[in-house]
């Protein structure tokens, strides 16, 4: 037997017992004739004491131990002289009478500590060592617990988890598919699913009425920070429901997770915000509402006063940064530099200091006097001591730049506390987006999203104005999930494909099976999918999804630990009837 | 609101309430001025009554209803005149005052009944209609419940479910991989996992100590009945354990599933059978021990008595079929034909009838007298009335043929009751199998399986004799799962790769990451993986795994519903730097 207890288990009540522990050597230190060893497993750390004067046989193994050796030790639990209140096992130690070295270890390339000395690349290559660190173990435990809680909640609500296939069909819509050549069906390919969307709709047509799945999805996109080629969704669908049935169900799921995972009671209804309001007030379809700082449009008020930047702008708007009137010139210059970064994209920044003494100082004093500036301040609910920050330009770009500025000010003002959570439903997204390049509409969510019932009539007249019966769950400015009521009528679906520029033949070839299924009694249905990686990293208080994924890929889609992807043998290519074309340099 | 209740919910206690139900029209029939409609959802069927004389407005919609139309109806729950005790809702019906047709249906290509008139191919093409049938809904519900029970059991035992990657690395060992061309890493490929084997071992090295995952796996093999290119494993691994720690843990999981899913208490320890005994007594490494009928070897007893078939045989053995001495000549001829089928592969069948009156009648009366036959009967524990069936030939083939014969006789004698379950651990498999074609050893399980500690010394002297520290869980002759204690020592792993004919370079290239990980403190570990599809189909009492899979593929690996795999666009191939080679006819 390798162990009677884990390394996180022993307490004062165990004093006097003989126990066996197994784990990794975390630290060793000698002190007089004694050797102290910290042995670690995922449950904790326990201190071992070797008294060589009493057990001379232990001298040699004790001396040979290095960091990360795997050992099994037997001994007696004794009270510790100097108790360590920071450790759950800190009241006791084990007086060892037997050590077995189960496996040796070379010196690890970085320390196995909460704050390791290993760089990102090294930690990715030795991921199995990185995963020994406590923050990662806690993150994966949290993720596991979230999975259990999601499943039990939905199970108790009558949902079935039903597995949908991974080897499916490539469709050129949406993001790029990963494809899988078929050997048995020559020159043909499967695709890996970007989501189980069509299958969950088929399950609704099949009468399953409450489906969910925690499932891997795949997108062959160029990777940005926090994107992985494979990611996990909590995918859900319900039949015989209207929008608010779905919002209620999954708001309750979210509340259950807040309570069971974070210990947070949310006793209010999540606010709902129109997409249009989110865009005009926060410049963003996933506003972080942990803090207010909404935009105020000044366009009409400030134009035609002789300031050409304003007069040429399509939109002028600003935010009020509380208590920032004391910002120095240098700080304001830095902020200006910030908004001019290409990621933010503003041309410049106008400031108005509403000083504590009631006076105004602005970068546009030449064009606006104190009285005028005061009307700005009033519109923006500013008090003496506040700072108004204004951007002007093309509407969309300006809203987006203001959004970046707002988040930056939120961060500077400490308004984005990781332990505070502000959930929000964003609703009534546009159904279609006009794409100037291809001169056609794209589906903002996907082609199966239903218009709002009251907008249905605009399909033939003004499709760009139709709002979708779609919704996103946003927490702290992170899009945690989204969904919609789906189209379940074959004629409406055909109309939708037509609006998206599909020919009848294209629609038939790609989605014929779904259109066909709609002919045999499709019920009204809708659903939602949550990004499990993101939700877990939000709850874990981590900035990146990587650390809630055991074996993530790097920004080139590589697993540097197993060195994948890699070349495959010619015989494999032959079986698949494939030739590779040499890459151009 | 689409419904206040489901179609399986209403009872006498609801009489008098106004309710709204939604579902599919299962059946309609007229009777006088009344129309009766059975409306169905996954929870059950409820009878609707339309009294056109009272509600003339309902006449038109009621008349237009066809099978599988989706409707929403409102009405009053009333007591049924002729109660249907077979239906859970059979005490009541709904007197309808409002019908909304939510969607129409064309006439479905087969009936939505327990015993449908649809052939396999048609049902696969319209899988969403097949899935409406009650047996499939029950099978998927059972599978879902098994998943919930597995997860909660393992969670309570301290296991974490940890997701391992799907885009991994191709290794030529084992079955054929599905590969995924990488666009970002030109001319390189990922592979889809055949199992998470190496990743779960890395998780043990990373200190997670109790891991599981219900996970899709992929094998590009030629499909036999009951094989799917993608299948689901319950994949588990533990560190700091010996074999029996694992067997105990997962025997308890199995018992928990028997109890929670099937309502069966198993209060005994699962028997353990040596692989060698399974082969000599049942001719099979997954014996069905719902019934005895073990083999008896007769080789020494019956040779050199002048019967050339016996004298030339390497092995002669038989089984005793209780109470079958009355078999007619015709029945015995049929059995002979059965064993001569290529799937069974015997040259012929010898019978000995031990008649009720104590006399013997055999097909070898020329060579053996009654006294001699009586000694056969004694050895085989036969009683008057029993039938001995004997096969002779090359040992391996004869054992295998006897196994086929035994199962056939078990079926004929009604000894294979689907409601009886006989679990069994088969242990001590050979570590290596000699392959005559390649003149080298193959790993019987996989190259990470540890030898039994007591056999370790034979690695250099007689590797073919080493038994693995491996085990299978067999229920009713079905291999439900298997696993082993793994190698955790880098030198032993190197020895194993050498025994399997890997050069150092090949081992390094394919499994270098694992060998490397073994250098940094790998703990002793082992695990098991269960075939979830098979286990679910066994519990569902189904012969095929297809009906516990929502969207299975056919024997050519095709999804005929979505028509996949399929050709992909030239632009997709270009991005992947691939050309297809035209298939030879």
């Amino acid at each position: 037997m390798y162990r009677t207890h884990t390394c996180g288990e022993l307490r004062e009540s165990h004093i006097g017992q003989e126990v066996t522990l197994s784990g990794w050597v975390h630290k060793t230190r000698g002190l007089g004739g004694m050797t102290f060893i910290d042995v670690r497993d995922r449950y904790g750390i326990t201190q071992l004491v070797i008294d060589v004067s009493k057990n001379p046989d232990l001298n040699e193994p004790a001396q040979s131990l290095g960091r990360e050796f795997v050992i099994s030790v037997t001994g007696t639990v004794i009270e510790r002289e100097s108790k360590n209140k920071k450790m759950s096992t800190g009241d006791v130690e084990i007086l060892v009478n037997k050590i077995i070295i189960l496996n040796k270890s070379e010196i690890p390339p970085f320390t196995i500590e909460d704050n390791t000395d290993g760089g990102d690349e090294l930690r990715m290559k030795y991921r199995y060592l990185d995963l020994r660190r406590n923050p990662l173990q806690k993150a994966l435990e949290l993720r596991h617990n979230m999975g259990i809680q999601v499943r039990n909640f939905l199970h108790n609500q009558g949902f079935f988890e039903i597995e949908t296939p991974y080897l499916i069909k490539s469709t050129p819509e949406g993001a790029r598919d990963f494809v899988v050549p078929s050997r048995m069906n020559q020159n043909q390919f499967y695709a890996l699913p970007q989501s189980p969307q069509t299958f969950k709709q088929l399950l609704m047509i099949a009468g399953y009425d409450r489906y969910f799945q925690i499932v891997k999805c795949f997108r062959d996109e160029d990777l940005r920070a926090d994107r992985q080629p494979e990611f996990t969704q909590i995918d859900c669908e319900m039949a015989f429901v209207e929008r608010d049935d779905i919002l209620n169900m999954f708001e309750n799921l979210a509340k259950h997770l807040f309570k069971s995972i974070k210990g947070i009671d949310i006793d209010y209804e999540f606010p709902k915000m129109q997409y249009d309001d989110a865009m005009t007030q926060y410049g963003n379809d996933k506003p972080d509402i942990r803090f207010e700082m909404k935009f105020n449009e000044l366009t009409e008020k400030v134009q035609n006063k002789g300031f050409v930047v304003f007069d040429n702008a399509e939109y002028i708007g600003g935010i009020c940064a509380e208590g920032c009137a004391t910002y120095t010139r240098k700080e304001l210059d830095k902020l200006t530099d910030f908004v001019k970064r290409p990621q933010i994209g503003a041309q410049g920044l106008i400031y108005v200091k509403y000083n504590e003494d009631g006076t105004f100082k602005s970068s546009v004093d030449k064009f606006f006097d104190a009285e005028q500036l005061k009307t700005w301040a009033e519109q923006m609910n500013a008090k003496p001591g506040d700072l108004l920050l204004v951007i002007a330009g093309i509407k969309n770009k300006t809203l987006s730049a203001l959004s970046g500025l707002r988040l930056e000010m939120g961060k500077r003002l400490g308004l984005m506390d990781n332990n505070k959570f502000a959930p929000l439903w964003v609703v009534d997204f546009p159904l279609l987006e006009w794409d100037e390049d291809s001169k056609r509409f794209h589906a903002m969510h996907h082609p199966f999203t239903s218009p709002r019932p009251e907008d249905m009539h605009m399909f033939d007249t003004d499709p760009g104005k139709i709002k979708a019966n779609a919704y996103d769950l946003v927490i702290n400015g992170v899009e945690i999930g989204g969904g919609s009521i789906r189209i379940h009528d074959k004629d409406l679906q055909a109309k939708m494909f037509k609006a998206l520029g599909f020919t009848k033949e294209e629609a038939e070839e790609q989605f014929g099976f779904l259109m066909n299924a709609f002919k045999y009694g499709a019920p009204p249905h809708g659903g939602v999918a949550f990004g499990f990686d993101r939700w877990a990293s939000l709850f874990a208080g981590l900035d990146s999804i990587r650390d809630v994924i055991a074996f993530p890929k790097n920004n080139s889609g590589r697993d540097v630990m197993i060195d994948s992807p890699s070349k495959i043998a010619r015989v494999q290519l032959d079986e698949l009837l494939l030739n590779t074309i040499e890459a151009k340099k």
Side-chain angles (χ1 to χ4, degrees), chain A:
Chain A
M1 194 185 37
Y2 286 108
R3 60 184 176 192
T4 56
H5 296 78
T6 69
C7 297
E9 200 174 347
L10 297 176
R11 299 286 183 275
E12 275 188 319
S13 61
H14 295 92
I15 286 170
Q17 289 185 24
E18 183 171 279
V19 298
T20 301
L21 301 187
S22 286
W24 285 264
V25 172
H26 192 65
K27 221 186 278 178
T28 61
R29 60 196 182 284
L31 197 70
M34 315 284 268
T35 304
F36 293 91
I37 302 165
D38 281 354
V39 62
R40 188 197 70 235
D41 63 16
R42 77 156 150 112
Y43 308 91
I45 290 180
T46 301
Q47 177 163 293
L48 312 175
V49 195
I50 295 177
D51 185 342
V52 178
S53 67
K54 287 184 189 151
N55 271 301
D57 292 354
L58 297 182
N59 189 40
E60 202 233 302
Q63 291 308 317
S64 74
L65 294 180
R67 276 200 291 137
E68 301 304 315
F69 274 42
V70 189
I71 57 173
S72 178
V73 296
T74 301
T76 309
V77 183
I78 59 174
E79 191 167 1
R80 223 156 126 167
E81 259 177 48
S82 56
K83 297 188 178 175
N84 182 343
K85 291 296 170 200
K86 283 187 203 151
M87 284 170 68
S88 58
T89 63
D91 288 344
V92 298
E93 58 193 8
I94 296 177
L95 186 62
V96 175
N97 56 47
K98 190 174 155 200
I99 293 190
I100 299 168
I101 296 177
L102 296 172
N103 217 338
K104 295 179 183 180
S105 175
E106 294 188 5
I107 294 168
F110 49 83
T111 57
I112 312 297
E113 300 285 354
D114 288 10
N115 292 306
T116 179
D117 57 354
D120 271 359
E121 213 162 316
L122 206 58
R123 288 168 49 212
M124 289 281 273
K125 184 167 160 62
Y126 295 90
R127 184 68 172 176
Y128 44 87
L129 297 180
D130 200 24
L131 285 170
R132 284 186 192 162
R133 297 192 307 115
N134 198 45
L136 271 80
Q137 300 212 337
K138 291 296 160 226
L140 291 187
E141 180 175 8
L142 177 141
R143 184 186 177 116
H144 159 72
N145 283 327
M146 283 181 73
I148 289 286
Q149 293 296 341
V150 167
R151 285 188 162 100
N152 285 331
F153 177 89
L154 292 175
H155 172 72
N156 289 333
Q157 295 292 334
F159 284 76
F160 292 169
E161 184 163 25
I162 300 175
E163 295 172 53
T164 52
Y166 278 77
L167 297 173
I168 65 164
K169 186 173 175 166
S170 188
T171 54
E173 264 311 282
R176 208 183 277 105
D177 286 321
F178 281 104
V179 297
V180 182
S182 167
R183 181 183 53 87
M184 296 218 285
N185 299 273
Q186 298 177 325
N187 297 345
Q188 299 190 350
F189 293 75
Y190 302 99
L192 298 177
Q194 296 184 28
S195 92
Q197 181 62 34
T198 50
F199 288 98
K200 68 176 174 175
Q201 292 192 246
L202 290 170
L203 286 172
M204 292 306 107
I205 295 169
Y208 287 77
D209 114 358
R210 289 186 170 196
Y211 144 93
F212 82 102
Q213 193 182 185
I214 300 185
V215 62
K216 275 279 174 80
C217 301
F218 304 85
R219 275 180 210 171
D220 185 12
E221 288 175 334
D222 297 320
L223 301 176
R224 299 191 307 235
D226 237 29
R227 278 253 179 102
Q228 288 279 320
E230 48 177 307
F231 56 95
T232 305
Q233 272 187 199
I234 304 169
D235 191 52
C236 309
E237 197 82 3
M238 301 172 78
F240 300 117
V241 287
E242 288 160 329
R243 186 195 76 175
D244 285 352
D245 298 318
I246 294 181
L247 299 195
N248 284 339
M249 175 65 71
F250 294 99
E251 182 163 324
N252 285 334
L253 169 63
K255 286 176 177 173
H256 176 73
L257 289 179
F258 272 112
K259 177 73 183 158
S260 58
I261 302 294
K262 300 297 291 179
I264 296 173
D265 263 312
I266 300 191
D267 57 2
Y268 56 86
E269 198 177 307
F270 292 0
K272 290 187 187 74
M273 190 185 291
Q274 299 270 324
Y275 168 87
D276 286 345
D277 291 339
M279 295 308 286
T280 53
Q281 296 173 0
Y282 299 92
N284 196 315
D285 64 358
K286 40 180 195 285
D288 186 338
I289 59 165
R290 278 176 295 182
F291 61 104
E292 188 86 348
M293 216 190 280
K294 284 185 198 169
F295 302 174
N296 263 279
E297 182 170 358
L298 301 167
T299 316
E300 283 192 24
K301 186 191 294 280
V302 301
Q303 282 186 329
N304 305 316
K305 311 286 179 187
F307 183 38
V308 64
V309 170
F310 282 174
D311 292 349
N312 290 340
E314 184 189 2
Y315 171 93
I316 302 137
I319 55 175
C320 169
E322 235 183 293
C324 294
T326 52
Y327 266 34
T328 61
R329 183 59 197 243
K330 206 171 152 191
E331 282 172 302
L332 290 166
D333 284 350
K334 269 196 184 166
L335 265 190
T336 306
D337 289 345
F338 171 83
V339 300
K340 285 173 144 180
R341 290 163 56 183
Q343 303 95 307
I344 306 297
Q347 299 292 321
L349 179 66
I350 290 106
Y351 70 82
V352 180
K353 291 182 179 182
Y354 188 178
N355 296 316
E356 285 287 359
D357 62 6
T359 62
F360 288 90
K361 167 79 191 127
S362 83
S363 53
V364 287
D365 283 350
K366 242 193 276 179
F367 307 100
F368 301 92
D369 60 21
E371 200 173 324
Q372 284 171 310
L373 293 176
K374 188 156 193 187
T375 69
W376 300 17
E378 277 164 8
Q379 184 184 328
M380 293 164 88
N381 289 319
K383 315 174 300 298
D386 294 349
L387 174 70
L388 312 184
L389 296 166
V390 175
I391 303 180
I394 295 168
K395 183 166 183 180
N396 283 346
K397 284 195 170 178
T398 306
L399 288 170
S400 160
L402 270 176
S403 168
L405 176 63
R406 174 180 175 272
L407 292 173
E408 175 66 18
M409 292 312 297
K411 211 179 295 170
R412 288 183 182 217
L413 294 173
L415 303 172
M416 294 166 81
D417 177 358
N418 265 353
N419 294 311
K420 190 180 157 187
F421 294 93
L424 168 73
W425 290 110
V426 178
V427 300
D428 295 343
F429 284 78
L431 183 70
L432 304 166
E433 281 180 307
W434 183 256
D435 181 54
E436 264 307 319
D437 291 339
S438 57
K439 298 278 176 213
R440 64 181 183 91
F441 282 113
H442 285 275
M444 188 144 178
H445 273 76
H446 53 57
F448 314 109
T449 300
S450 174
R452 289 193 308 188
E454 61 267 40
D455 293 353
M456 215 71 88
H457 66 278
M458 289 189 284
F459 236 113
D460 300 311
T461 54
D462 199 353
K465 280 222 174 119
I466 299 175
K467 297 290 185 197
N469 207 342
Y471 33 82
D472 277 0
L473 177 62
V474 175
I475 305 179
N476 293 4
V478 179
E479 185 201 322
I480 290 298
S484 62
I485 295 293
R486 325 298 182 185
I487 296 170
H488 68 282
D489 178 83
K490 64 179 186 346
D491 297 329
L492 182 58
Q493 187 66 66
K495 238 179 212 178
M496 181 71 173
F497 282 129
K498 200 178 152 200
L500 295 173
F502 282 62
T503 65
K504 256 195 177 168
E505 292 67 33
E506 285 166 348
E508 175 58 32
E509 198 197 321
Q510 291 173 39
F511 299 110
F513 61 96
L514 187 66
M515 310 276 277
N516 212 28
F518 281 165
K519 292 181 196 159
Y520 294 98
H525 62 285
V528 66
F530 300 98
F532 191 25
D533 309 295
R534 277 199 209 159
W535 203 340
S537 75
L538 182 84
F539 271 14
L542 298 169
D543 290 329
S544 159
I545 61 170
R546 275 200 197 159
D547 284 348
V548 293
I549 297 174
F551 300 103
K553 295 193 172 47
N554 73 8
N555 279 344
S556 319
R558 293 199 69 80
D559 182 329
V560 294
M561 176 186 68
I562 65 170
D563 192 23
S564 161
S566 59
K567 301 252 176 197
I568 59 173
R570 181 66 240 174
V571 54
Q572 285 177 283
L573 290 171
D574 285 342
E575 283 190 322
L576 298 170
L577 297 173
L578 286 179
N579 275 328
T580 53
I581 305 166
E582 210 169 317
K584 289 185 200 104
K585 293 286 163 172

